[in-house]
Amino acid sequence: MNSPIITVKNVVTQFGLNRVHDGVSLHVDQGEIYGLLGGSGSGKTTLLKEMIMLLEPKAGEITILGQNILTSSNKDKDYLRRQWGVLFQNGALFSSLTVAENVAISLKEYTDIPAYLLSDIVSMKISMVGLPPHVGSLYPAELSGGMIKRASLARALAMDPKLLFLDEPTSGLDPVGAAAFDQLILQLRDMLELTIVMVTHDLDSIWTTVDRLAVLGDKKVIVEGTLDDVNRSEHPDIKAFFRGKRGLTRMQNGK
Ligand SMILES: Nc1ncnc2c1ncn2[C@@H]1O[C@H](COP(=O)(O)OP(=O)(O)O)[C@@H](O)[C@H]1O
Ligand SMILES: [Mg+2]
């Protein structure tokens, strides 16, 4: 359980004159839920996009499942893209397709699974994320915020990925919905033996789900480790976040 599945080394990212990362390094171990934290604009989403090959850093190294994704061949990149699922901040389902059609997209594109089996697989994915079967025939506009997140998660899991990337999965959910989503993430990690990278600033979610985390700030990783490691940091940003009023309450209540 302790070999790194993702290694980020000295990543530098720049948009025009705006340097976002200036030597970001971290590693994600197999089977863990890894939190990416940091203030707004600290480059969390950008780093996530670099990990899934939607953006290329200016310098540095990113290794995923043993492959350097910045120098790998197109064939290897195609292979890698099938090893992960992604849930973006706003869900991003296709509004003209039903939930079932959304979940089926990658399966249709990348596999030769016959139609009768495809619908079984899609139903299974929909049930796996805790949605009732009839939701498959609904359109995104007919779903609540929590259902959209779950449907997007079902789509992210369609190809049985080893890795799951989540960008602020609980944002926009009420506390009850967010807590239920956290439990779902934990269950799916155990059931499917996933490794999960999750951008979040939701303290409750961090305490419930995250095994280790990195906090981005000053264009670097301010601190990486378990919650206990991070709690011991004397960096002012960390103190403000984890030992502010909400953080202290959470710490006293424990996991
Ligand atoms: N495609 C882009 N083009 C130019 N600047 C970008 C782009 N994407 C992100 N940025 C900038 O990079 C910085 C980090 O953004 P982002 O990764 O979205 O932060 P976070 O997710 O931590 O809030 C911000 O200053 C943002 O304006
Ligand atoms: Mg972001």
Side-chain angles (χ1 to χ4, degrees), residues 143-194:
L143 307 180
S144 70
M147 288 160 91
I148 287 180
K149 302 263 185 195
R150 282 171 192 260
S152 310
L153 191 56
R155 189 176 66 178
L157 294 171
M159 297 280 289
D160 298 328
K162 296 185 178 73
L163 264 162
L164 188 60
F165 293 93
L166 309 171
D167 196 353
E168 310 226 6
T170 55
S171 78
L173 298 182
D174 61 56
V176 175
F181 199 85
D182 285 340
Q183 289 308 317
L184 175 64
I185 297 290
L186 282 170
Q187 279 166 15
L188 290 173
R189 185 269 303 266
D190 292 345
M191 194 167 87
L192 306 173
E193 298 179 355
L194 294 166

Side-chain angles (χ1 to χ4, degrees), residues 15 18 20 38-47 55 167-168 199:
F15 296 109
N18 180 16
V20 178
S40 179
S42 60
K44 306 178 295 293
T45 298
T46 301
L47 185 61
L55 279 175
D167 196 353
E168 310 226 6
V199 172

Side-chain angles (χ1 to χ4, degrees), residues 21 24 26 33-45 47-48 166-168 197-207 209-218 220-227 230-231 237-238 241-242:
H21 304 129
V24 165
L26 55 84
I33 300 182
Y34 190 91
L36 265 185
L37 278 73
S40 179
S42 60
K44 306 178 295 293
T45 298
L47 185 61
L48 193 126
L166 309 171
D167 196 353
E168 310 226 6
V197 178
M198 177 164 84
V199 172
T200 180
H201 60 244
D202 179 338
L203 264 175
D204 288 326
S205 186
I206 293 162
W207 278 93
T209 59
V210 162
D211 297 307
R212 286 193 322 121
L213 64 156
V215 184
L216 296 184
D218 312 330
K220 293 190 162 54
V221 173
I222 302 176
V223 54
E224 184 192 29
T226 62
L227 272 165
V230 171
N231 260 323
D237 292 355
I238 309 274
F241 185 72
F242 284 94

Side-chain angles (χ1 to χ4, degrees), residues 11-28:
V11 159
V12 177
T13 308
Q14 191 151 334
F15 296 109
L17 292 175
N18 180 16
R19 186 163 283 214
V20 178
H21 304 129
D22 193 13
V24 165
S25 299
L26 55 84
H27 71 277
V28 179

